[in-house]
Structure formats: structure tokens, C-alpha cells
Amino acid sequence: MIDDGSGVHIDLIAGPDGRLEVRVAGRGTTLVMIASLGRSADDFDELAELVAAVGYRVVAPEPRGIRGSEPGPDDVDLRGLSDDVAAVIAHYGGPAFVLGHAFGNRVARMVATRHPTLVAGVILLGCGGAILPEPVDGRALIDVFDESLDAERHLEAVRRAFFAPGNDPAPWRDGWHPAVAQMQGRSMTDIDPDVWWRSGDARVLVVQAANDVIAPPANGEKLIGDLGNRGELRMLGGAGHAMLPEQPVQLAEMITDWLRRHG
């Protein structure tokens, strides 16, 4: 165990295809947080602190290829990424609640589908895929991984794709991992979304940001329609696709309220 000085300690555990680095905060019922496309688990640090403070253990594995998490094979698919999360849950003692942000919610849904006995419930932040972004916004999403852009153009792409009007994009100026994002994108190519779309039979909280241009709010409404009485939808104002650095307090309140009612 390693203490990184932020109130988070770091464990190194065995995954199915190599070592995984895991960020851990708090004690209590376990909530596993899965990061967005090409992003590190440290995006969750502020949210994790807020959730841990009210009696939960927050566990956030670094994606393959980031920090101490080994890359594993190039041909890993969404099933393999979900098996990483299952290994994390098993290490800390399941079942656990599983939260996924943006791309991470696809992994979370596959975990619930593939490992139902390990999952107590699913929380999805920024669901996309059914209603696509406008082309100019989709271009901005691609640009955030373009290492040839100068700092000003890159930050503008981050602002456009991820942040609500008036919110400061600087917290996500850095922390982009293009090679990891490419691996994660490839992981979905040969799997029918119908396999993971409904999160197995788990109970699901869907949080959509009102100003999300990458995963427009209608995506959440469609998913709730597909889930029926297993799903609950909450709208988060004043936030875009980034969500975590924009409205951490409101987001923590939504999450902990749902956990109290379903824990």
C-alpha cells in the first residue's frame, strides 16, 4: 500500500492480464469508479473524498496502461476490461456498487452483465452512444487527444467537448492518454452494444449533465426507457461531459442519496 498524500492510498493488485493500480479512499460499502475515455482514475479524487466522508469505501482502478496498471494484450475487448473491474471487486470483497463515467459506464454495464453476483447496483455518468453529438462537438472530442495541437487550441477543444458554458476547463488541461483511448475504442468494435446496454438485471442510476454536448441528455432518457423500473434518471445542472470537476458536490449528493436508498 502506498499513500500519495491526498487522503487516497494506492494498492497494487493482480488483474487478469497483469498488475492493476487502484486508488482507495474511505471505509464502508464499496463503490468502484471507472474513468472516462483516456483519463486517469485520479479524476475521481474530489468526488471520492466527498463520498468516502459519508461512510463509503471508494475504489478507483487505473485503466490499463496508466501509471501502475500494466497494458496487457493489445487485443483486449470490453469483456477483458470488465474482468479487470471484477478482479478489483473480488480483491476488496463483493458485491460492490459500480460507477462508470462516460466510456467507463460502458465498462460498468459490461461488469453488471458479465459478473452479476459481484454487482449490487450501477451508477452511470454521462451515457452516450444512442443520440450522437453534433459533428463540430464530435470533432472537439477527437481533438483533445491530438498531441500536435498547441496549448490554446487544445484547451479550447477540451472546453467545447467537456465543459458547460462559463465553467473553467483548466482542471482537464492535462491528463489525456491517447494510446489508452485508442485501446479503449478498439475494445468495443466487435461487441454488439445490446450485450451490455441494459446492465444485466442490475438497478441503475443514470446521471446526465444538462449541458453535455458529447452525450446529450436524451441518451439518458432513452436508456431509462429501456430499463423500465430498474432505472432512475437524475439531471445535473451547470455541467457538461466532464461533470466531475464541474459539479462535484451536487454529483456526490445524487450518488449518496441513491446509495442510501439502494445499499
Side-chain angles (χ1 to χ4, degrees):
M1 183 175 76
I2 303 167
D3 187 347
D4 75 349
S6 68
V8 173
H9 72 260
I10 296 173
D11 293 337
L12 298 174
I13 74 167
D17 288 313
R19 183 185 62 226
L20 297 171
E21 179 175 314
V22 185
R23 304 175 71 80
V24 184
R27 297 178 180 176
T29 299
T30 299
L31 172 63
V32 180
M33 295 185 174
I34 308 167
S36 178
L37 185 75
R39 298 289 302 180
S40 166
D42 65 8
D43 282 346
F44 292 118
D45 280 357
E46 186 173 6
L47 179 63
E49 181 180 356
L50 292 166
V51 174
V54 295
Y56 295 91
R57 175 170 56 184
V58 179
V59 175
E62 288 288 6
R64 296 185 184 202
I66 296 180
R67 294 200 172 100
S69 290
E70 295 179 327
D74 290 338
D75 61 350
V76 65
D77 63 13
L78 201 60
R79 289 175 287 252
L81 299 183
S82 77
D83 292 348
D84 289 349
V85 179
V88 170
I89 296 172
H91 178 85
Y92 292 99
F97 289 90
V98 180
L99 177 153
H101 176 218
F103 169 78
N105 80 63
R106 302 178 185 214
V107 181
R109 286 189 258 182
M110 181 61 89
V111 177
T113 301
R114 189 168 169 82
H115 303 280
T117 61
L118 293 178
V119 176
V122 175
I123 300 171
L124 306 176
L125 310 181
C127 297
I131 292 86
L132 298 178
E134 294 295 327
V136 66
D137 299 317
R139 179 70 246 178
L141 176 61
I142 294 170
D143 285 347
V144 301
F145 295 104
D146 185 347
E147 296 177 292
S148 71
L149 293 182
D150 62 43
E152 183 177 350
R153 290 175 61 203
H154 179 261
L155 189 61
E156 173 57 22
V158 172
R159 183 204 63 75
R160 181 173 194 108
F162 284 90
F163 286 78
N167 289 350
D168 181 8
W172 277 24
R173 181 191 304 274
D174 301 313
W176 302 95
H177 298 265
V180 173
Q182 291 171 12
M183 174 273 290
Q184 292 169 332
R186 291 193 303 269
S187 75
M188 298 183 291
T189 55
D190 294 327
I191 297 178
D192 187 339
D194 284 344
V195 172
W196 50 263
W197 183 260
R198 294 173 179 80
S199 303
D201 295 321
R203 294 172 295 188
V204 180
L205 170 66
V206 178
V207 180
Q208 293 293 122
N211 300 102
D212 193 338
V213 298
I214 299 301
N219 282 280
E221 296 166 0
K222 181 184 186 310
L223 179 56
I224 287 297
D226 295 338
L227 294 174
N229 60 12
R230 287 194 292 120
E232 179 179 331
L233 176 64
R234 300 290 299 272
M235 296 298 299
L236 180 66
H241 201 50
M243 194 182 298
L244 304 172
E246 295 178 280
Q247 299 294 346
V249 174
Q250 293 91 327
L251 189 55
E253 289 172 351
M254 290 180 180
I255 290 168
T256 55
D257 170 70
W258 187 84
L259 289 172
R260 289 189 190 102
R261 288 187 285 112
H262 296 285

